[in-house]
Amino acid sequence: MASILDEYEDSLYRSASVPQSRASVGIPHSGYVNARLEKETPIFNKQRIDFAPPEKINSLVVSSNQLCMSLGKDTLLRIDLGKPDEPNQVELGRKDEAKVYKMFLDHTGSHLLIAVNTSECLYLNRSVQKVRTLSRWKGHLIESVGWNKFLGSETNTGPILVGTAQGQIYEAEISVSEGSLFSTNPDQYFRHVYTLEEESGPAPVCCLEIERGIEGKFFIIATTRKRLFQFVGKVPEGTEQQGFSSIFAMHADHLPSFREFPASFGFSEIAFYTPKLRSNPRSFAWMMGNGVLYGTLDYSRPDSILSDERVWVYPSDIDITVNKPISIVLTQFHFLLLLPDRVKAVCTLNGQVVFQDLFLEKFGLLTRMIKDPTVQQIWIHTEKVVFRYHVQRESRDVWKMYMNMNKFDLAKEYCKDRPECLDIVLAKEAEHCFQNKRYLDSAKCYALTQNYFEEIALKFIEAKQEEALMEFLIKKLSNLKPSEKTQTTLLTTWLTELYLNWLGILEGDPSQRNLYLDTREKFRTFLSSPKNKDCLFNNRASIYELLASHGDTEHMVYFAVIMQDYERVVAHHCQHDEYDEALNVLSRHRDEKLFYKFSPVLIQHIPNKVVDAWISMGSRLDARNLIPALVNYSQSASTQQINEAIRYMEFCVYQLEETQQAIHNYLLSLYALCRPDSLLSYLEQAGTNPNRIHYDLKYALRLCAEHGHHHACVHIYKVMELYEEAVDLALQVDVDLAKSCADLPEDDEELRKKLWLKIARHVVQEEKDVKKAMACLSSCALLKIEDVLPFFPDFVTIDHFKEAICNSLEDYNKHIEELKREMEEATQSAKRIREDIQEMRNKYGSVEPQEKCAACDFPLLNRPFYLFLCGHMFHYDCLLQAVFPNLPAYKQAKLEDLQKKLAATSQPSKSHHRPKDADTISLGKGQQSREQIKADIDDIVAAECVYCGELMIRSIDKPFIDPQKYEEEMQSWL
């Protein structure tokens, strides 16, 4: 083992220098400022306990924060370190010359065994004050105790192992009785189970340790001065309380496995490191004559728990014949050796002494060193003084040792929270990988360091390691912040160029097919990475140029899809006559604008599929924007092409129920061009109401006329109510069709008669068919024989229409008789009316002076009034006020106008003897007389009684209170 090197200790455990912040042309990085990595605080920090013992300290043990100290000959001091101000002193009660040889404290701090040099053993429980002698143990000088950490409790130790100076191993158990303070014998049993021997015979059992592995397997470690024994075996389930006899019995006929070393300094000591409370130890250190055997504990091994063993020889300044080590303590990364005047800490990773603490002579010789496994504190004492070491951040610089050992994963694990150290480890690992030609691993590590970006990139370029350079750039890119847009753009563009170069090289080599496919997949993953999406989108023009310069149309299309630049994708497919692929892209992404743009091209090559795609888009497409594509497509006049156009137009009209005139007009033009039968069916289905027809009537008429579709023209004439034109055209096609048109103007008999006369003239003059002409007379009641006769030529004999003439004469006779009867009825009615008028002239009503107006309840005779036959009487103004709001608007306007005219006339004289014609004075030429105006007003106001007439009936649903005055009325009632 090397001696202490101050320079090494300072550099390894105190501080380290790291690169300063450095500016970089390409990729900036946040370097670390030169600084001491750690404060000047040692790992092992010594503290002297403020305690002056009244007598010399013989022995000291600590466990679970319980400290027990033997003072002088007969005193035992117990201190709960959680309450250090409340020490407890117990007298051993020995009157002989016996001295305390060793003390043993279990893991709970409850059971204390005191071995005395008279081959006796005393026992003290934490909860009592009285020391008891273990009678069964008498005659044995106890050297070591293996505590049972699995079954032991505060009142019972469970089966434990006891080693003696004669090499014997005993199994024992100590229990505190529940009924009294102690049972008669606190030691339940004490039986011999094995004897350890060396070459010379039985040897003292220096140390004992009991550990339990997996599947109930127990490992027992026992040491002598030169040998380390292992006993391995299972204790049957449920029999753990019966002890470990069965394990030792397995080795009754043969020696257990052991490690032996030649040198010895009369004793040995083993120490264990337990990372967590109530967990198994993870490593061990056995101090013996040849050095320190260090290793880890592997509980999965079948025969031996010891693993990764190595011997660290003692430092050169330790002479085991003069100043041999006294005790050993093991921590996570160090073991501490106690010498008579100093303490040395040795790193278990490299065997170097990293700490030394020299004690002054005034404290006396160091006696014992022990560690409390529960709180990881180290205690050292002399006969006069007690010291305590605190272990502070022991792993602080372990990373550097692992790094120097090229164990980079462990180094990174121990500096993961210290970026400045992690950067050093990564740089060292990257350089190590580079030197060993592991370029990809080197690139991954370099990308995580703060080294110059340019230096690393040039390093890989000079080594012609493009793949590693790409890996470096990818990792560097992934570590950039979102705000570093320029750097992201640089790396993204560079990586694209490298990928394209690499793919170009691999594509031409058939033997590298698998590598090419793998690289292509990586490139596509790079292009589609969500993290790179914004950068690629903002710089897509540059990426397109790179792809085009390499002629990589496959990835140009792939990149365009990622960028959702579907226009470019579709255009590419169209340029390469991949029309189905282009249509698939359109159908998949359903972009209306792209459909409008590329449909004229696609429909020329795959019309059926394009129309299917249009139909699948449904109402998302505006058919008007597709008409130019259809018109251009159908110009070739191929029936199949026109049929596809008709199919889509019919879908729009009948399924989507489009009402746009352009769509209907175009469908009409297609029907007129290719499907005349469908044309008439469409027109008839559209109906005859011009307000509900979506095509242009004039355009449709002109279109049908151009193509000679007379039936369709007749139908359109009928819709336009141009019946004469309809009949004229229908006569050129079919007389029956003309007859159906002639009956259409039902409200205009004169027109109907005119139309039927046209038909009759056509039948007589053009077809010269007398019978058919006579049939016209029977089809239309408006035509008479005399209307038709002028159309016949002079030489036609009367025999052809004799019957018609007779029928006509009979009809005239019937009509004359009917007129006579009506004249008689009219004469009788006129006579009755004259009688009624005469009677009404003589009818009158009497009004009593006390009569009151039915509306205002004031005397009636005070003002002009009206008297109705029902008996109700109203003042003129009261009746006007009641009637006016209920009159129709036009009557209200007329009434106001009449009142104005009446007011404009001259006022009549107040004399009772007015001129006879005072009220009949003309108001001017063309104007009404005053009497006539008053009569018109009476006709409106006094047409009926306001209480008995229809006015009252019509107002039955009118509220009693005007809604606008409801709130006011309601408040007046409160």
Side-chain angles (χ1 to χ4, degrees), residues 360-375:
L360 300 176
E361 293 183 4
K362 67 178 182 179
F363 298 136
L365 297 177
L366 301 177
T367 305
R368 176 76 171 162
M369 177 172 62
I370 191 169
K371 186 179 75 170
D372 185 348
T374 58
V375 293

Side-chain angles (χ1 to χ4, degrees), residues 284-471:
F284 74 97
W286 181 38
M287 183 184 71
M288 41 76 184
N290 290 86
V292 176
L293 177 66
Y294 174 79
T296 59
L297 301 177
D298 186 354
Y299 296 92
S300 63
R301 300 181 65 183
D303 300 323
S304 175
I305 193 176
L306 308 182
S307 177
D308 299 331
E309 302 170 53
R310 64 185 305 176
V311 177
W312 295 114
V313 298
Y314 294 116
S316 58
D317 61 341
I318 295 180
D319 184 357
I320 62 174
T321 60
V322 179
N323 58 342
K324 58 187 176 185
I326 302 170
S327 294
I328 186 171
V329 163
L330 181 63
T331 62
Q332 185 178 6
F333 296 105
H334 304 85
F335 59 82
L336 280 72
L337 295 174
L338 181 69
L339 300 170
D341 62 345
R342 70 193 64 190
V343 172
K344 286 180 179 289
V346 180
C347 179
T348 58
L349 299 177
N350 55 16
Q352 302 243 349
V353 177
V354 297
F355 173 79
Q356 179 173 260
D357 193 4
L358 187 65
F359 288 77
L360 300 176
E361 293 183 4
K362 67 178 182 179
F363 298 136
L365 297 177
L366 301 177
T367 305
R368 176 76 171 162
M369 177 172 62
I370 191 169
K371 186 179 75 170
D372 185 348
T374 58
V375 293
Q376 304 295 328
Q377 291 180 348
I378 301 170
W379 296 78
I380 297 176
H381 72 92
T382 66
E383 292 183 348
K384 303 177 182 179
V385 186
V386 178
F387 297 93
R388 177 171 58 189
Y389 281 94
H390 293 275
V391 183
Q392 297 181 335
R393 298 179 59 229
E394 183 182 4
S395 63
R396 65 178 71 171
D397 288 324
V398 170
W399 62 271
K400 182 170 284 189
M401 282 174 277
Y402 279 129
M403 180 184 70
N404 293 332
M405 296 164 63
N406 292 334
K407 295 182 178 180
F408 299 108
D409 290 338
L410 290 172
K412 288 183 284 188
E413 179 67 24
Y414 285 100
C415 64
K416 59 185 179 182
D417 297 328
R418 300 162 64 189
E420 69 280 2
C421 301
L422 182 61
D423 186 69
I424 297 173
V425 174
L426 288 169
K428 182 70 179 292
E429 182 182 8
E431 185 63 29
H432 175 77
C433 293
F434 193 92
Q435 296 298 332
N436 288 277
K437 301 186 183 304
R438 293 162 48 201
Y439 297 111
L440 286 177
D441 294 334
S442 176
K444 293 176 183 178
C445 294
Y446 269 132
L448 299 175
T449 67
Q450 303 299 321
N451 290 22
Y452 283 132
F453 171 81
E454 298 86 344
E455 290 179 358
I456 300 169
L458 288 172
K459 197 169 187 177
F460 287 116
I461 293 173
E462 291 172 358
K464 298 182 179 179
Q465 295 296 320
E466 285 196 7
E467 188 176 2
L469 175 60
M470 289 164 59
E471 185 66 28

Side-chain angles (χ1 to χ4, degrees), residues 784-918:
K784 303 298 180 182
I785 186 62
E786 57 270 26
D787 299 324
V788 180
L789 285 176
F791 303 146
F792 289 96
D794 296 337
F795 56 82
V796 177
T797 60
I798 198 171
D799 293 339
H800 292 90
F801 36 83
K802 177 180 178 181
E803 183 180 355
I805 294 174
C806 294
N807 292 335
S808 179
L809 292 174
E810 289 179 2
D811 290 339
Y812 278 124
N813 289 332
K814 291 179 181 178
H815 184 60
I816 292 171
E817 291 299 326
E818 186 177 349
L819 287 176
K820 288 180 179 179
R821 186 173 59 255
E822 290 177 357
M823 289 173 62
E824 291 177 357
E825 292 176 357
T827 302
Q828 294 297 325
S829 296
K831 182 179 179 181
R832 287 195 296 271
I833 290 171
R834 284 194 296 271
E835 291 175 354
D836 291 341
I837 291 172
Q838 187 62 36
E839 183 180 356
M840 287 299 294
R841 286 177 178 172
N842 299 325
K843 194 169 185 178
Y844 63 93
S846 60
V847 178
E848 299 295 333
Q850 67 273 16
E851 291 291 346
K852 297 182 179 180
C853 175
C856 65
D857 205 29
F858 278 93
L860 185 66
L861 299 178
N862 289 349
R863 300 197 299 275
F865 63 89
Y866 288 98
L867 171 64
F868 292 95
L869 294 176
C870 60
H872 288 116
M873 293 169 279
F874 300 92
H875 289 129
Y876 166 76
D877 53 345
C878 293
L879 182 62
L880 179 63
Q881 185 177 2
V883 171
F884 186 82
N886 297 287
L887 291 174
Y890 75 93
K891 284 192 175 183
Q892 290 181 352
K894 184 177 181 181
L895 182 59
E896 290 177 349
D897 184 54
L898 292 171
Q899 288 178 324
K900 290 178 182 178
K901 290 180 179 180
L902 182 63
T905 60
S906 57
Q907 295 295 328
S909 173
K910 293 184 181 180
S911 172
H912 292 285
H913 302 284
R914 293 183 300 173
K916 181 178 180 180
D917 55 348

Side-chain angles (χ1 to χ4, degrees), residues 439-678:
Y439 297 111
L440 286 177
D441 294 334
S442 176
K444 293 176 183 178
C445 294
Y446 269 132
L448 299 175
T449 67
Q450 303 299 321
N451 290 22
Y452 283 132
F453 171 81
E454 298 86 344
E455 290 179 358
I456 300 169
L458 288 172
K459 197 169 187 177
F460 287 116
I461 293 173
E462 291 172 358
K464 298 182 179 179
Q465 295 296 320
E466 285 196 7
E467 188 176 2
L469 175 60
M470 289 164 59
E471 185 66 28
F472 169 68
L473 296 179
I474 289 171
K475 293 294 183 183
K476 205 69 178 177
L477 178 62
S478 65
N479 294 330
L480 290 178
K481 299 177 182 177
S483 58
E484 297 173 319
K485 298 184 182 300
T486 303
Q487 294 83 352
T488 302
T489 302
L490 169 66
L491 291 183
T492 302
T493 309
W494 193 2
L495 275 169
T496 303
E497 176 71 21
L498 290 174
Y499 268 120
L500 292 172
N501 286 336
W502 188 238
L503 286 171
I505 295 171
L506 294 176
E507 189 176 14
D509 188 353
S511 62
Q512 300 289 336
R513 180 62 180 173
N514 291 334
L515 181 58
Y516 167 77
L517 294 176
D518 183 58
T519 306
R520 185 182 68 176
E521 188 61 30
K522 289 181 180 178
F523 182 41
R524 292 185 174 185
T525 303
F526 167 75
L527 292 177
S528 58
S529 171
K531 187 171 183 180
N532 303 332
K533 183 177 181 181
D534 290 341
C535 178
L536 289 170
F537 182 80
N538 295 331
N539 298 278
R540 59 189 183 277
S542 300
I543 303 298
Y544 281 132
E545 290 178 3
L546 282 174
L547 292 166
S549 66
H550 285 266
D552 194 342
T553 56
E554 178 185 1
H555 284 106
M556 181 181 291
V557 173
Y558 182 83
F559 180 68
V561 171
I562 294 173
M563 294 294 103
Q564 298 183 355
D565 189 359
Y566 302 118
E567 181 176 351
R568 186 183 293 268
V569 177
V570 176
H572 169 81
H573 288 311
C574 290
Q575 290 171 2
H576 292 79
D577 296 336
E578 298 170 352
Y579 302 110
D580 287 332
E581 289 296 327
L583 184 58
N584 288 338
V585 174
L586 290 176
S587 301
R588 188 163 53 249
H589 300 288
R590 305 174 74 82
D591 189 327
E592 299 88 346
K593 294 181 180 178
L594 294 182
F595 266 103
Y596 299 146
K597 181 172 183 177
F598 292 100
S599 287
V601 176
L602 295 176
I603 200 169
Q604 298 292 336
H605 300 89
I606 47 174
N608 183 266
K609 294 181 179 180
V610 171
V611 171
D612 289 340
W614 290 351
I615 291 174
S616 67
M617 287 289 289
S619 58
R620 294 183 60 177
L621 290 179
D622 187 347
R624 291 177 299 174
N625 296 328
L626 297 174
I627 289 177
L630 290 171
V631 171
N632 184 46
Y633 165 68
S634 60
Q635 282 179 349
S636 60
S638 169
T639 303
Q640 181 182 359
Q641 294 170 337
I642 295 177
N643 286 338
E644 292 300 331
I646 291 175
R647 182 161 70 96
Y648 181 64
M649 289 292 104
E650 286 180 339
F651 169 76
C652 295
V653 170
Y654 298 121
Q655 300 297 324
L656 301 183
E657 298 181 353
E658 285 283 356
T659 60
Q660 297 293 332
Q661 191 177 77
I663 296 172
H664 287 263
N665 286 346
Y666 183 58
L667 180 59
L668 267 175
S669 68
L670 294 175
Y671 279 150
L673 182 65
C674 190
R675 293 188 188 175
D677 296 338
S678 299

Side-chain angles (χ1 to χ4, degrees), residues 745-760:
E746 298 177 354
D747 298 333
D748 191 345
E749 291 185 356
E750 183 179 352
L751 178 58
R752 284 176 59 200
K753 184 176 180 179
K754 181 179 180 181
L755 296 177
W756 276 103
L757 285 174
K758 282 178 177 286
I759 297 171

